[in-house]
Amino acid sequence: MIKIAVFASGTGTNFDAILENINAGKLSAKLALMVCDKPMALVVEKAKKANIPSFVFDPKDYPSKAAYDQAILEQCHQHEVDLIILAGYMRIVSSVLLQAYPHRIINIHPSLLPAFKGKDAIKQAYDYGVKVMGVSVHYVNEDLDGGDIIAQKAFNCEGMNLDEAEKNIHAIEHQLYPQTIQKIIEELTI
Ligand code: GRF
């Protein structure tokens, strides 16, 4: 069984969706570790309730990004993590993790990449006045939101307000991410 780690910083609705899919037998993986850089984040509480081992850290306690990424790497090794899933993790992953997990770190981004990279992607797209919005799942490399695209799903957002567009994006994420992770795992285990 492939072991995954989910890295998150916020509410963890994608964490929930991944866990639900595992519990429903639709995603053949073991959620071996949850990593969070925000001790007060809701996702920390969720992982605790679900009995998922967690590594929760405060970046301020480390001298550098490389130092906390090294600590994360040790946790990943300890829990024998095969695949790292970024789900609303608000930190740039350094070469410490990228080199240890080449083509084994994926991210979900709430825009149709390569458009609207970085923070507040939904609002960026909305303010731009796009007529089509969507979600991308991609490999993580040293370029922010710039790695190879694995999957995308689009929808027509004409006439939607920002709130409706956001709800749509999240609903798509919660389906697309577990499905895409399952496909990646199937390819890894062939
Ligand atoms: C999602 O919209 C994801 O695309 C972005 O951050 C958000 C995380 O939400 N990278 P949640 O913490 O999974 O609810």
Side-chain angles (χ1 to χ4, degrees), residues 20-84:
E20 276 164 24
N21 274 265
I22 289 175
N23 291 339
K26 293 184 199 164
L27 179 48
S28 1
K30 180 177 176 187
L31 213 175
L33 179 66
M34 194 284 293
V35 171
C36 181
D37 61 324
K38 296 237 164 52
M40 303 307 287
L42 201 56
V43 69
V44 174
E45 212 43 53
K46 289 179 171 177
K48 203 170 164 189
K49 264 195 197 142
N51 277 321
I52 305 297
S54 299
F55 178 61
V56 182
F57 68 101
D58 188 335
K60 289 202 289 289
D61 296 338
Y62 294 84
S64 63
K65 179 185 279 292
Y68 62 70
D69 269 5
Q70 187 59 43
I72 294 172
L73 181 59
E74 279 158 25
Q75 290 287 323
C76 287
H77 283 156
Q78 202 175 310
H79 292 276
E80 299 174 328
V81 168
D82 301 298
L83 190 65
I84 294 176

Side-chain angles (χ1 to χ4, degrees), residues 131-157:
K131 304 296 176 220
V132 174
M133 281 186 165
V135 171
S136 306
V137 179
H138 64 93
Y139 286 109
V140 175
N141 64 10
E142 34 305 297
D143 304 324
L144 180 67
D145 300 323
D148 290 346
I149 294 168
I150 308 164
Q152 289 185 309
K153 191 155 188 190
F155 64 96
N156 189 316
C157 60

Side-chain angles (χ1 to χ4, degrees), residues 69-140:
D69 269 5
Q70 187 59 43
I72 294 172
L73 181 59
E74 279 158 25
Q75 290 287 323
C76 287
H77 283 156
Q78 202 175 310
H79 292 276
E80 299 174 328
V81 168
D82 301 298
L83 190 65
I84 294 176
I85 313 292
L86 308 186
Y89 183 62
M90 300 304 283
R91 305 219 149 245
I92 293 171
V93 170
S94 77
S95 58
V96 172
L97 285 165
L98 290 174
Q99 280 171 17
Y101 283 92
H103 243 65
R104 293 282 188 282
I105 308 180
I106 65 170
N107 182 42
I108 189 157
H109 184 75
S111 81
L112 292 171
L113 289 171
F116 308 114
K117 294 178 178 178
K119 278 189 186 167
D120 295 325
I122 306 174
K123 188 161 187 309
Q124 283 186 55
Y126 186 81
D127 290 347
Y128 196 91
V130 298
K131 304 296 176 220
V132 174
M133 281 186 165
V135 171
S136 306
V137 179
H138 64 93
Y139 286 109
V140 175

Side-chain angles (χ1 to χ4, degrees), residues 6-17 43 46 86-90 107-111 118 121-122 135-136 145 166 169-170 173-174 177:
V6 174
F7 288 24
S9 304
T11 53
T13 61
N14 281 285
F15 170 88
D16 288 335
V43 69
K46 289 179 171 177
L86 308 186
Y89 183 62
M90 300 304 283
N107 182 42
I108 189 157
H109 184 75
S111 81
I122 306 174
V135 171
S136 306
D145 300 323
E166 274 173 353
I169 295 258
H170 295 310
E173 287 184 336
H174 301 155
Y177 213 11

